[in-house]
Amino acid sequence: MHTPLRPLLDTVLEALEEGTRLRGGPLPAGGPSEVAERVRAAVGTVLPDDGDPEALRHLVRTLAEGAADPAHPLCAAHLHCPPLAVAAAADLAVSVLNPSMDSWDQAPAASELESLVTRHLAREVYGETPRGAGNCATSPHRPDALITTGGTESNQLALLLARETLGPGVRLVCGENAHHSLPRAAWLLGMPAPIIVPTPNGTLDPAALDKALHGPSVIAATAGTTDAGLIDPLPEIADWCAHRGARLHIDSAYGGGLLFSSRHRAKLDGLAAADTVTLDLHKLGWQPVAAGLLAVRDKNDLAALHHRADYLNADDDTEAGLPDLLGRSLRTTRRPDVLKIAVTLKTLGRTGLAALVDQVCEQAREFAKAVDEHPGFELHAPPTISTVLFRPADATDDAVAAVRRQLLEDGRAVLGRARAANRLWLKVTLLNPTTRPADLAGLLTLVEGSTPR
């Protein structure tokens, strides 16, 4: 059935290698205009009259040559991981089989696999018996989880469930450190304008929530901010929500992967008290995009997503035992992203995943130490997860921004940027377990040599 795929796989792998060699660094040199020119030249006519049998080779090579490569040690700007080879291989199987997760007769095995994996990951968040603040210790309801495209969709679903549970007047309360997808989801769902609590120290202060609470509320805390990888005081926020009857959502798209590590898991204490939790395994899970989840403490909350379409989940089919998949997502056609997650969990096990998590956290600690000991740099703070903010000593904000853009233009390094303590910082997000100390030392040398004096 899939014999024609074999030579094409060789073509893809060869083109990826060739494109990577041509790029020669973490991203293509020349900036947006030169990259655009090379892509236009490679594509030519998008829909020619006659097909080109070499199109696969040419376009894959062009994409690889023009990629920001997360597998390169100096590509360290964003929460953008190098995917595990075994997960990418599983993703290929999904593309070939092409199941659609909107009815059982399109995805018989995949639907059961999704059910097994999501229930297990929900237990990773909530434990075998839900426990924590509020009524979760006595709740008879089992936790569950949904597969999503990532943190943005998970956060949107979390607010939708809050609105359907507490009513249309429920208001989002979150910190300035919260991900932009949360207030955007509140706008999209027609909820009242959110209350944004200042976070001058980078994390949400539970004491500041007292002034923000007005009527039914969903409090959104963060476990791993995008700017600095900080974790809000989750146990204190959970206790505050329990005493005031507020719903709690925790966005742990970044930090959720710490659950796999016995060394770092305690940083997520309080997570099990949340009504909903965002996870994102295309960060600290090393999955190809997309691999998000929304875990719910009370699976009955998911009844709000129930939907009937006779051609997909007719009542008599459901009563006869065919699983109903429409309530597992707001999307209809969706691919079984669960396969790559399942293959990764089974292949690496808890020990293997923990080793990857521990490795990148240790890299961040060592890099922060090197920055702190270097007279030419200033460290913002020790890392909480795997993000480090630093800047050249005595540089202006304009100079910091210019350094980053120059390194991008030259194709030598991909660094992020973040504002903290009223200043602009360079951001290194370490998600590549194979990065070596020498790579990070070389990065400091590059930044130092690019800083105007």
Side-chain angles (χ1 to χ4, degrees):
M1 173 184 175
H2 304 122
T3 302
L5 190 60
R6 291 187 183 278
L8 297 178
L9 291 179
D10 290 338
T11 297
V12 166
L13 293 175
E14 290 165 5
L16 286 171
E17 291 176 359
E18 187 176 351
T20 300
R21 284 196 303 272
L22 290 170
R23 181 180 1 99
L27 81 166
S33 59
E34 289 194 23
V35 172
E37 184 177 342
R38 288 195 290 269
V39 172
R40 287 194 294 265
V43 172
T45 302
V46 172
L47 183 61
D49 291 334
D50 298 313
D52 177 4
E54 290 297 307
L56 177 64
R57 181 184 301 277
H58 291 157
L59 293 185
V60 170
R61 180 178 60 206
T62 298
L63 192 67
E65 182 183 0
D69 183 4
H72 193 287
L74 299 189
C75 187
H78 302 287
L79 289 163
H80 182 195
C81 72
L84 293 164
V86 71
D91 225 19
L92 171 64
V94 163
S95 294
V96 173
L97 293 169
N98 208 26
S100 181
M101 300 292 291
D102 49 320
S103 66
W104 182 87
D105 58 349
Q106 298 177 82
S111 61
E112 178 61 20
L113 182 63
E114 182 175 274
S115 178
L116 289 170
V117 173
T118 51
R119 285 200 304 268
H120 178 86
L121 291 174
R123 290 195 297 271
E124 288 290 322
V125 173
Y126 291 108
E128 294 296 331
T129 301
R131 59 186 184 275
N135 63 2
C136 65
T138 58
S139 172
H141 307 298
R142 291 178 300 166
D144 201 352
L146 304 178
I147 300 286
T148 70
T149 55
T152 294
E153 185 187 352
S154 293
N155 286 340
Q156 180 184 332
L157 278 172
L159 293 197
L160 174 63
L161 296 181
R163 188 191 71 181
E164 295 305 295
T165 301
L166 299 180
V170 63
R171 187 184 298 270
L172 167 68
V173 180
C174 63
E176 283 181 329
N177 64 341
H179 193 264
H180 65 84
S181 62
L182 282 159
R184 197 177 192 192
W187 163 76
L188 182 65
L189 292 167
M191 295 169 62
I195 296 174
I196 310 297
V197 178
T199 52
N201 297 317
T203 56
L204 184 60
D205 181 1
L209 293 173
D210 282 320
K211 298 177 182 178
L213 190 65
H214 300 285
S217 300
V218 53
I219 311 300
T222 305
T225 60
T226 2
D227 276 352
L230 302 179
I231 297 175
D232 288 338
L234 304 181
E236 292 85 353
I237 292 173
D239 287 343
W240 186 95
C241 290
H243 287 122
R244 288 160 180 80
R247 189 176 173 93
L248 175 59
H249 171 64
I250 297 178
D251 178 2
S252 62
Y254 179 9
L258 299 179
L259 287 169
F260 300 122
S261 167
S262 58
R263 184 183 304 177
H264 294 284
R265 186 184 179 104
K267 294 176 181 178
L268 297 179
D269 284 352
L271 197 70
D275 295 281
T276 50
V277 174
T278 287
L279 302 172
D280 202 343
L281 296 181
H282 54 247
K283 295 180 173 64
L284 283 180
W286 293 277
Q287 298 299 291
V289 175
L293 293 108
L294 178 71
V296 295
R297 188 176 65 191
D298 181 354
K299 66 182 298 183
N300 288 343
D301 283 0
L302 298 178
L305 302 180
H306 176 74
H307 186 71
R308 178 70 65 207
D310 193 63
Y311 77 106
L312 294 174
N313 60 346
D315 287 338
D316 58 317
D317 278 348
T318 303
E319 290 166 4
L322 294 184
D324 180 357
L325 305 185
L326 277 190
R328 306 293 300 175
S329 177
L330 290 179
R331 293 172 283 148
T332 303
T333 301
R334 60 186 180 93
R335 68 200 307 269
D337 288 313
V338 69
L339 178 62
K340 60 196 174 193
I341 298 172
V343 166
T344 299
L345 297 177
K346 191 75 173 172
T347 302
L348 272 69
R350 188 181 300 279
T351 301
L353 281 167
L356 297 180
V357 171
D358 293 347
Q359 176 68 12
V360 295
C361 289
E362 179 63 18
Q363 286 171 358
R365 192 187 70 80
E366 290 293 333
F367 182 63
K369 182 173 182 287
V371 169
D372 199 35
E373 293 175 351
H374 195 299
F377 292 100
E378 181 181 353
L379 176 70
H380 175 253
T384 301
I385 307 178
S386 66
T387 298
V388 178
L389 301 186
F390 73 105
R391 53 184 282 140
D394 303 320
T396 65
D397 282 0
D398 287 344
V400 171
V403 167
R404 175 179 172 272
R405 287 193 292 269
Q406 187 62 57
L407 292 172
L408 290 175
E409 182 82 14
D410 296 342
R412 293 188 293 171
V414 190
L415 299 179
R417 54 184 285 163
R419 285 211 165 269
N422 298 315
R423 291 194 292 168
L424 184 66
W425 302 81
L426 296 172
K427 178 174 72 171
V428 166
T429 308
L430 295 168
L431 291 180
N432 185 346
T434 65
T435 298
R436 302 164 301 169
D439 298 320
L440 298 175
L443 176 60
L444 286 181
T445 300
L446 275 178
V447 174
E448 188 175 26
S450 302
T451 304
R453 300 294 181 188

